[in-house]
mmCIF file of all heavy atoms in Angstrom:
data_model
loop_
_atom_site.group_PDB
_atom_site.id
_atom_site.type_symbol
_atom_site.label_atom_id
_atom_site.label_comp_id
_atom_site.label_asym_id
_atom_site.label_seq_id
_atom_site.Cartn_x
_atom_site.Cartn_y
_atom_site.Cartn_z
ATOM 1 N N LEU A 74 27.357 -10.961 8.567
ATOM 2 C CA LEU A 74 27.422 -11.355 9.969
ATOM 3 C C LEU A 74 26.554 -12.474 10.284
ATOM 4 O O LEU A 74 26.472 -13.018 11.330
ATOM 5 C CB LEU A 74 27.076 -10.128 10.821
ATOM 6 C CG LEU A 74 27.847 -8.857 10.601
ATOM 7 C CD1 LEU A 74 27.334 -7.709 11.368
ATOM 8 C CD2 LEU A 74 29.374 -9.180 11.126
ATOM 9 N N GLU A 75 25.657 -12.831 9.291
ATOM 10 C CA GLU A 75 24.704 -13.897 9.689
ATOM 11 C C GLU A 75 24.999 -15.200 9.232
ATOM 12 O O GLU A 75 26.031 -15.322 8.441
ATOM 13 C CB GLU A 75 23.279 -13.460 8.890
ATOM 14 C CG GLU A 75 22.746 -12.159 9.503
ATOM 15 C CD GLU A 75 21.576 -11.691 8.843
ATOM 16 O OE1 GLU A 75 21.423 -12.005 7.630
ATOM 17 O OE2 GLU A 75 20.647 -11.023 9.430
ATOM 18 N N ASP A 76 24.328 -16.152 9.710
ATOM 19 C CA ASP A 76 24.574 -17.525 9.408
ATOM 20 C C ASP A 76 24.370 -17.813 7.834
ATOM 21 O O ASP A 76 23.292 -17.567 7.289
ATOM 22 C CB ASP A 76 23.498 -18.313 10.101
ATOM 23 C CG ASP A 76 23.667 -19.812 10.021
ATOM 24 O OD1 ASP A 76 24.221 -20.267 9.026
ATOM 25 O OD2 ASP A 76 23.191 -20.469 10.910
ATOM 26 N N ALA A 77 25.415 -18.212 7.126
ATOM 27 C CA ALA A 77 25.449 -18.219 5.689
ATOM 28 C C ALA A 77 24.466 -19.383 5.322
ATOM 29 O O ALA A 77 23.917 -19.416 4.221
ATOM 30 C CB ALA A 77 26.897 -18.614 5.208
ATOM 31 N N ALA A 78 24.324 -20.424 6.033
ATOM 32 C CA ALA A 78 23.507 -21.533 5.719
ATOM 33 C C ALA A 78 21.977 -21.090 5.783
ATOM 34 O O ALA A 78 21.190 -21.448 4.873
ATOM 35 C CB ALA A 78 23.671 -22.688 6.726
ATOM 36 N N LYS A 79 21.759 -20.282 6.740
ATOM 37 C CA LYS A 79 20.332 -19.873 6.905
ATOM 38 C C LYS A 79 19.984 -18.818 5.776
ATOM 39 O O LYS A 79 18.907 -18.928 5.182
ATOM 40 C CB LYS A 79 20.184 -19.057 8.250
ATOM 41 C CG LYS A 79 19.824 -20.033 9.382
ATOM 42 C CD LYS A 79 19.426 -19.227 10.625
ATOM 43 C CE LYS A 79 18.966 -20.050 11.701
ATOM 44 N NZ LYS A 79 18.924 -19.259 12.956
ATOM 45 N N ALA A 80 21.027 -18.020 5.454
ATOM 46 C CA ALA A 80 20.716 -17.055 4.319
ATOM 47 C C ALA A 80 20.606 -17.758 2.988
ATOM 48 O O ALA A 80 19.747 -17.499 2.160
ATOM 49 C CB ALA A 80 22.032 -16.115 4.307
ATOM 50 N N ALA A 81 21.311 -18.854 2.804
ATOM 51 C CA ALA A 81 21.259 -19.699 1.478
ATOM 52 C C ALA A 81 19.788 -20.315 1.525
ATOM 53 O O ALA A 81 19.133 -20.353 0.510
ATOM 54 C CB ALA A 81 22.267 -20.725 1.483
ATOM 55 N N GLN A 82 19.409 -20.807 2.673
ATOM 56 C CA GLN A 82 18.010 -21.441 2.765
ATOM 57 C C GLN A 82 17.005 -20.453 2.437
ATOM 58 O O GLN A 82 16.081 -20.850 1.676
ATOM 59 C CB GLN A 82 17.906 -21.980 4.146
ATOM 60 C CG GLN A 82 17.021 -23.268 4.314
ATOM 61 C CD GLN A 82 17.048 -23.787 5.734
ATOM 62 O OE1 GLN A 82 17.293 -23.008 6.676
ATOM 63 N NE2 GLN A 82 16.742 -24.991 5.918
ATOM 64 N N PHE A 83 17.161 -19.234 2.973
ATOM 65 C CA PHE A 83 16.141 -18.214 2.802
ATOM 66 C C PHE A 83 16.108 -17.941 1.294
ATOM 67 O O PHE A 83 14.983 -17.823 0.862
ATOM 68 C CB PHE A 83 16.648 -16.928 3.615
ATOM 69 C CG PHE A 83 15.747 -15.726 3.318
ATOM 70 C CD1 PHE A 83 14.611 -15.490 4.005
ATOM 71 C CD2 PHE A 83 16.224 -14.754 2.482
ATOM 72 C CE1 PHE A 83 13.752 -14.503 3.764
ATOM 73 C CE2 PHE A 83 15.433 -13.642 2.236
ATOM 74 C CZ PHE A 83 14.224 -13.528 2.899
ATOM 75 N N GLN A 84 17.265 -17.744 0.626
ATOM 76 C CA GLN A 84 17.227 -17.402 -0.822
ATOM 77 C C GLN A 84 16.644 -18.536 -1.570
ATOM 78 O O GLN A 84 15.881 -18.271 -2.595
ATOM 79 C CB GLN A 84 18.698 -17.093 -1.213
ATOM 80 C CG GLN A 84 18.639 -16.536 -2.723
ATOM 81 C CD GLN A 84 17.910 -15.189 -2.805
ATOM 82 O OE1 GLN A 84 18.112 -14.267 -1.986
ATOM 83 N NE2 GLN A 84 17.063 -15.006 -3.874
ATOM 84 N N ALA A 85 16.744 -19.769 -1.200
ATOM 85 C CA ALA A 85 16.195 -20.919 -1.846
ATOM 86 C C ALA A 85 14.731 -20.774 -1.747
ATOM 87 O O ALA A 85 14.045 -21.154 -2.690
ATOM 88 C CB ALA A 85 16.689 -22.171 -1.240
ATOM 89 N N ARG A 86 14.266 -20.408 -0.602
ATOM 90 C CA ARG A 86 12.704 -20.221 -0.499
ATOM 91 C C ARG A 86 12.177 -19.144 -1.361
ATOM 92 O O ARG A 86 11.204 -19.392 -2.036
ATOM 93 C CB ARG A 86 12.414 -20.039 0.969
ATOM 94 C CG ARG A 86 12.646 -21.006 1.995
ATOM 95 C CD ARG A 86 12.094 -20.681 3.330
ATOM 96 N NE ARG A 86 10.638 -20.532 3.184
ATOM 97 C CZ ARG A 86 9.827 -19.919 4.211
ATOM 98 N NH1 ARG A 86 10.318 -19.389 5.180
ATOM 99 N NH2 ARG A 86 8.544 -19.830 4.072
ATOM 100 N N ILE A 87 12.930 -18.108 -1.464
ATOM 101 C CA ILE A 87 12.571 -17.003 -2.389
ATOM 102 C C ILE A 87 12.515 -17.415 -3.691
ATOM 103 O O ILE A 87 11.593 -17.132 -4.522
ATOM 104 C CB ILE A 87 13.502 -15.735 -2.257
ATOM 105 C CG1 ILE A 87 13.448 -15.311 -0.709
ATOM 106 C CG2 ILE A 87 13.163 -14.712 -3.259
ATOM 107 C CD1 ILE A 87 12.624 -14.098 -0.428
ATOM 108 N N ASP A 88 13.603 -18.179 -4.134
ATOM 109 C CA ASP A 88 13.650 -18.551 -5.542
ATOM 110 C C ASP A 88 12.573 -19.549 -5.971
ATOM 111 O O ASP A 88 12.107 -19.614 -7.030
ATOM 112 C CB ASP A 88 15.051 -19.247 -5.782
ATOM 113 C CG ASP A 88 16.167 -18.241 -5.701
ATOM 114 O OD1 ASP A 88 15.954 -17.075 -5.802
ATOM 115 O OD2 ASP A 88 17.281 -18.723 -5.497
ATOM 116 N N ALA A 89 12.051 -20.315 -4.854
ATOM 117 C CA ALA A 89 11.076 -21.313 -5.122
ATOM 118 C C ALA A 89 9.713 -20.664 -5.025
ATOM 119 O O ALA A 89 8.558 -21.310 -5.070
ATOM 120 C CB ALA A 89 11.071 -22.380 -4.116
ATOM 121 N N GLU A 90 9.648 -19.308 -5.036
ATOM 122 C CA GLU A 90 8.361 -18.511 -4.980
ATOM 123 C C GLU A 90 7.604 -18.727 -3.631
ATOM 124 O O GLU A 90 6.465 -18.546 -3.681
ATOM 125 C CB GLU A 90 7.500 -18.694 -6.286
ATOM 126 C CG GLU A 90 8.133 -18.145 -7.512
ATOM 127 C CD GLU A 90 8.150 -16.714 -7.720
ATOM 128 O OE1 GLU A 90 7.260 -16.055 -7.021
ATOM 129 O OE2 GLU A 90 9.068 -16.161 -8.349
ATOM 130 N N GLU A 91 8.334 -19.176 -2.716
ATOM 131 C CA GLU A 91 7.635 -19.359 -1.380
ATOM 132 C C GLU A 91 7.336 -17.940 -0.798
ATOM 133 O O GLU A 91 8.239 -16.988 -0.956
ATOM 134 C CB GLU A 91 8.431 -20.181 -0.486
ATOM 135 C CG GLU A 91 8.223 -21.665 -0.551
ATOM 136 C CD GLU A 91 8.855 -22.480 0.507
ATOM 137 O OE1 GLU A 91 8.885 -22.037 1.690
ATOM 138 O OE2 GLU A 91 9.530 -23.507 0.061
ATOM 139 N N ARG A 92 6.377 -17.702 0.051
ATOM 140 C CA ARG A 92 6.097 -16.482 0.737
ATOM 141 C C ARG A 92 6.807 -16.458 2.086
ATOM 142 O O ARG A 92 6.643 -17.508 2.800
ATOM 143 C CB ARG A 92 4.589 -16.147 0.974
ATOM 144 C CG ARG A 92 3.896 -15.924 -0.398
ATOM 145 C CD ARG A 92 4.239 -14.515 -0.915
ATOM 146 N NE ARG A 92 3.698 -14.290 -2.170
ATOM 147 C CZ ARG A 92 4.221 -14.671 -3.419
ATOM 148 N NH1 ARG A 92 5.434 -15.178 -3.493
ATOM 149 N NH2 ARG A 92 3.569 -14.445 -4.582
ATOM 150 N N ILE A 93 7.424 -15.357 2.468
ATOM 151 C CA ILE A 93 7.952 -15.163 3.833
ATOM 152 C C ILE A 93 7.079 -14.717 4.764
ATOM 153 O O ILE A 93 6.268 -13.702 4.423
ATOM 154 C CB ILE A 93 9.321 -14.353 3.781
ATOM 155 C CG1 ILE A 93 10.228 -14.819 2.607
ATOM 156 C CG2 ILE A 93 10.022 -14.300 5.061
ATOM 157 C CD1 ILE A 93 10.685 -16.193 2.689
ATOM 158 N N GLU A 94 6.857 -15.307 5.999
ATOM 159 C CA GLU A 94 5.928 -14.842 6.922
ATOM 160 C C GLU A 94 6.582 -14.302 8.083
ATOM 161 O O GLU A 94 7.741 -14.556 8.298
ATOM 162 C CB GLU A 94 4.900 -15.971 7.255
ATOM 163 C CG GLU A 94 3.982 -16.440 6.209
ATOM 164 C CD GLU A 94 3.093 -15.410 5.513
ATOM 165 O OE1 GLU A 94 2.737 -14.388 6.288
ATOM 166 O OE2 GLU A 94 2.629 -15.471 4.405
ATOM 167 N N PRO A 95 5.819 -13.357 8.886
ATOM 168 C CA PRO A 95 6.479 -12.683 9.926
ATOM 169 C C PRO A 95 7.450 -13.509 11.005
ATOM 170 O O PRO A 95 8.428 -12.961 11.278
ATOM 171 C CB PRO A 95 5.341 -12.115 10.764
ATOM 172 C CG PRO A 95 4.184 -11.946 9.766
ATOM 173 C CD PRO A 95 4.357 -13.079 8.841
ATOM 174 N N ASN A 96 7.035 -14.699 11.286
ATOM 175 C CA ASN A 96 7.741 -15.426 12.266
ATOM 176 C C ASN A 96 8.924 -16.232 11.637
ATOM 177 O O ASN A 96 9.690 -16.888 12.278
ATOM 178 C CB ASN A 96 6.965 -16.368 13.040
ATOM 179 C CG ASN A 96 5.980 -15.494 14.007
ATOM 180 O OD1 ASN A 96 6.299 -14.516 14.467
ATOM 181 N ND2 ASN A 96 4.831 -16.160 14.261
ATOM 182 N N ASP A 97 9.058 -16.252 10.278
ATOM 183 C CA ASP A 97 10.048 -16.882 9.686
ATOM 184 C C ASP A 97 11.462 -16.209 9.761
ATOM 185 O O ASP A 97 11.449 -14.987 9.881
ATOM 186 C CB ASP A 97 9.732 -17.062 8.077
ATOM 187 C CG ASP A 97 8.537 -17.912 7.840
ATOM 188 O OD1 ASP A 97 8.108 -18.618 8.706
ATOM 189 O OD2 ASP A 97 8.068 -17.750 6.741
ATOM 190 N N TRP A 98 12.572 -17.021 9.740
ATOM 191 C CA TRP A 98 13.856 -16.368 9.747
ATOM 192 C C TRP A 98 13.987 -15.590 8.494
ATOM 193 O O TRP A 98 13.580 -16.113 7.382
ATOM 194 C CB TRP A 98 14.883 -17.521 9.786
ATOM 195 C CG TRP A 98 16.304 -16.834 10.020
ATOM 196 C CD1 TRP A 98 16.916 -16.517 11.169
ATOM 197 C CD2 TRP A 98 17.161 -16.400 8.924
ATOM 198 N NE1 TRP A 98 18.179 -15.840 10.892
ATOM 199 C CE2 TRP A 98 18.374 -15.811 9.613
ATOM 200 C CE3 TRP A 98 17.134 -16.345 7.475
ATOM 201 C CZ2 TRP A 98 19.412 -15.344 8.823
ATOM 202 C CZ3 TRP A 98 18.216 -15.910 6.891
ATOM 203 C CH2 TRP A 98 19.340 -15.289 7.467
ATOM 204 N N MET A 99 14.682 -14.418 8.618
ATOM 205 C CA MET A 99 14.954 -13.567 7.525
ATOM 206 C C MET A 99 16.117 -12.830 7.767
ATOM 207 O O MET A 99 16.532 -12.437 8.866
ATOM 208 C CB MET A 99 13.637 -12.670 7.170
ATOM 209 C CG MET A 99 13.380 -11.703 8.202
ATOM 210 S SD MET A 99 11.868 -10.750 7.716
ATOM 211 C CE MET A 99 10.607 -11.840 8.419
ATOM 212 N N PRO A 100 16.971 -12.424 6.689
ATOM 213 C CA PRO A 100 18.154 -11.592 6.954
ATOM 214 C C PRO A 100 17.774 -10.317 7.464
ATOM 215 O O PRO A 100 16.661 -9.692 7.126
ATOM 216 C CB PRO A 100 18.778 -11.595 5.530
ATOM 217 C CG PRO A 100 18.114 -12.484 4.595
ATOM 218 C CD PRO A 100 16.717 -12.808 5.246
ATOM 219 N N ALA A 101 18.679 -9.764 8.268
ATOM 220 C CA ALA A 101 18.391 -8.405 8.906
ATOM 221 C C ALA A 101 18.100 -7.361 7.761
ATOM 222 O O ALA A 101 17.230 -6.357 7.947
ATOM 223 C CB ALA A 101 19.531 -7.980 9.872
ATOM 224 N N ALA A 102 18.950 -7.354 6.705
ATOM 225 C CA ALA A 102 18.728 -6.330 5.667
ATOM 226 C C ALA A 102 17.350 -6.523 5.037
ATOM 227 O O ALA A 102 16.822 -5.432 4.612
ATOM 228 C CB ALA A 102 19.914 -6.469 4.717
ATOM 229 N N TYR A 103 16.947 -7.799 4.762
ATOM 230 C CA TYR A 103 15.550 -7.930 4.182
ATOM 231 C C TYR A 103 14.512 -7.202 5.095
ATOM 232 O O TYR A 103 13.663 -6.439 4.661
ATOM 233 C CB TYR A 103 15.271 -9.437 4.064
ATOM 234 C CG TYR A 103 13.977 -9.768 3.374
ATOM 235 C CD1 TYR A 103 13.756 -9.942 2.098
ATOM 236 C CD2 TYR A 103 12.952 -10.221 4.348
ATOM 237 C CE1 TYR A 103 12.588 -10.292 1.550
ATOM 238 C CE2 TYR A 103 11.711 -10.612 3.792
ATOM 239 C CZ TYR A 103 11.554 -10.690 2.488
ATOM 240 O OH TYR A 103 10.374 -11.177 1.856
ATOM 241 N N ARG A 104 14.621 -7.536 6.425
ATOM 242 C CA ARG A 104 13.612 -7.018 7.367
ATOM 243 C C ARG A 104 13.677 -5.378 7.317
ATOM 244 O O ARG A 104 12.641 -4.615 7.311
ATOM 245 C CB ARG A 104 14.005 -7.377 8.778
ATOM 246 C CG ARG A 104 13.014 -6.986 9.936
ATOM 247 C CD ARG A 104 13.506 -7.480 11.189
ATOM 248 N NE ARG A 104 13.485 -8.877 11.316
ATOM 249 C CZ ARG A 104 12.595 -9.744 11.612
ATOM 250 N NH1 ARG A 104 11.364 -9.210 11.849
ATOM 251 N NH2 ARG A 104 12.714 -10.981 11.722
#
Side-chain angles (χ1 to χ4, degrees):
Chain A
L74 303 171
E75 292 173 334
D76 187 333
K79 274 187 176 168
Q82 210 178 18
F83 174 82
Q84 189 60 47
R86 292 190 62 197
I87 300 263
D88 294 342
E90 293 290 330
E91 276 187 41
R92 292 286 175 273
I93 307 302
E94 294 297 337
N96 293 330
D97 293 346
W98 186 89
M99 61 185 88
Y103 179 83
R104 187 184 297 277

